[in-house]
Amino acid sequence: DAGITQSPRHKVTETGTPVTLRCHQTENHRYMYWYRQDPGHGLRLIHYSYGVKDTDKGEVSDGYSVSRSKTEDFLLTLESATSSQTSVYFCAISERALPEAFFGQGTRLTVV
Amino acid sequence: ELKVEQNPLFLSMQEGKNYTIYCNYSTTSDRLYWYRQDPGKSLESLFVLLSNGAVKQEGRLMASLDTKARLSTLHITAAVHDLSATYFCAVDKWAGNQFYFGTGTSLTVIP
């Protein structure tokens, strides 16, 4: 397995609270991604990073922010969680020389 | 807006039968990926298709890519129960390491 660790693996939080999910990689890959997975929607790209401090929005970025201060860590923050952000969140990594993306184990987030 | 469409969304098939899953996409791309996901698990890479006409085979699964038609297929031969899973295709937008996924095909193989 690619060295990708997501934390926490499960979280229940209340509406309106801030939440940060962490993705840590040991592969030194340049690209990192956050996806959310919802029934009927497949995986949708939230944000991605192409290097330290270089990030960009994906297709469903509203309500989310990211930061990447080190190659190995990519943080996803929900500034004020809403019930519509209840989902399974996956982190992924890739590198130009290895075109496919590798996925972490996922974080199940429930906003009540 | 880039669209990646898979069909069917749900597939129930008997063991021993053949079937094909289709993946259509709306952007110009030479990179197409197939992933497998078991319930409650992460995504596992199955195939990487990097050029028009590419064909890859692994066991009972074979994937192909037609970039002119913007179509990839995942063909299942003589299905077995172990193939039950959800299968996703993904397109690399502009070959720039941006991966956009289809909605997935949930496959159930019935004895």
Side-chain angles (χ1 to χ4, degrees):
Chain A
D1 290 346
I4 309 168
T5 304
Q6 291 186 231
S7 59
R9 294 291 313 281
H10 302 272
K11 186 170 182 66
V12 179
T13 192
E14 293 185 349
T15 299
T17 60
V19 177
T20 295
L21 308 183
R22 180 180 184 237
C23 178
H24 178 77
Q25 61 146 330
T26 58
E27 306 295 321
N28 201 36
H29 281 12
R30 176 182 178 186
Y31 299 91
M32 297 186 75
Y33 313 83
W34 279 107
Y35 289 90
R36 61 178 289 173
Q37 183 175 24
D38 305 288
H41 291 279
L43 278 84
R44 292 180 290 176
L45 182 63
I46 304 171
H47 282 278
Y48 64 98
S49 170
Y50 43 94
V52 173
K53 296 191 174 141
D54 290 325
T55 65
D56 208 346
K57 296 178 180 180
E59 55 191 319
V60 290
S61 60
D62 287 349
Y64 302 94
S65 62
V66 290
S67 65
R68 190 170 179 197
S69 58
K70 298 185 289 185
T71 299
E72 57 266 35
D73 290 324
F74 193 32
L75 304 181
L76 177 70
T77 297
L78 291 65
E79 301 291 345
S80 177
T82 68
S83 59
S84 64
Q85 294 176 312
T86 292
S87 186
V88 178
Y89 291 85
F90 283 98
C91 173
I93 64 174
S94 75
E95 185 58 66
R96 276 224 178 260
L98 302 169
E100 69 213 274
F102 299 93
F103 283 80
Q105 292 304 107
T107 294
R108 184 172 295 275
L109 176 68
T110 302
V111 183
V112 298
Chain B
E1 178 187 347
L2 189 158
K3 290 187 177 179
V4 183
E5 296 180 338
Q6 287 182 237
N7 69 83
L9 299 184
F10 299 93
L11 176 56
S12 180
M13 56 190 299
Q14 287 188 315
E15 279 190 335
K17 298 293 187 182
N18 304 333
Y19 208 84
T20 300
I21 299 170
Y22 297 89
C23 174
N24 291 89
Y25 54 97
S26 63
T27 189
T28 300
S29 177
D30 291 335
R31 297 187 178 191
L32 193 290
Y33 309 85
W34 285 96
Y35 287 84
R36 169 182 172 142
Q37 185 182 37
D38 293 305
K41 303 294 186 182
S42 184
L43 280 81
E44 171 192 357
S45 177
L46 289 176
F47 298 109
V48 178
L49 304 169
L50 298 178
S51 61
N52 185 41
V55 177
K56 296 278 184 74
Q57 182 163 6
E58 180 72 33
R60 301 175 188 273
L61 300 177
M62 183 174 71
S64 65
L65 177 61
D66 181 344
T67 58
K68 291 181 171 54
R70 299 182 183 177
L71 171 68
S72 180
T73 61
L74 180 66
H75 187 72
I76 303 156
T77 302
V80 292
H81 180 70
D82 285 352
L83 290 180
S84 296
T86 299
Y87 294 86
F88 292 94
C89 64
V91 172
D92 184 354
K93 188 176 181 181
W94 303 320
N97 287 70
Q98 292 183 48
F99 301 89
Y100 288 82
F101 282 78
T103 50
T105 296
S106 177
L107 171 65
T108 302
V109 180
I110 305 167

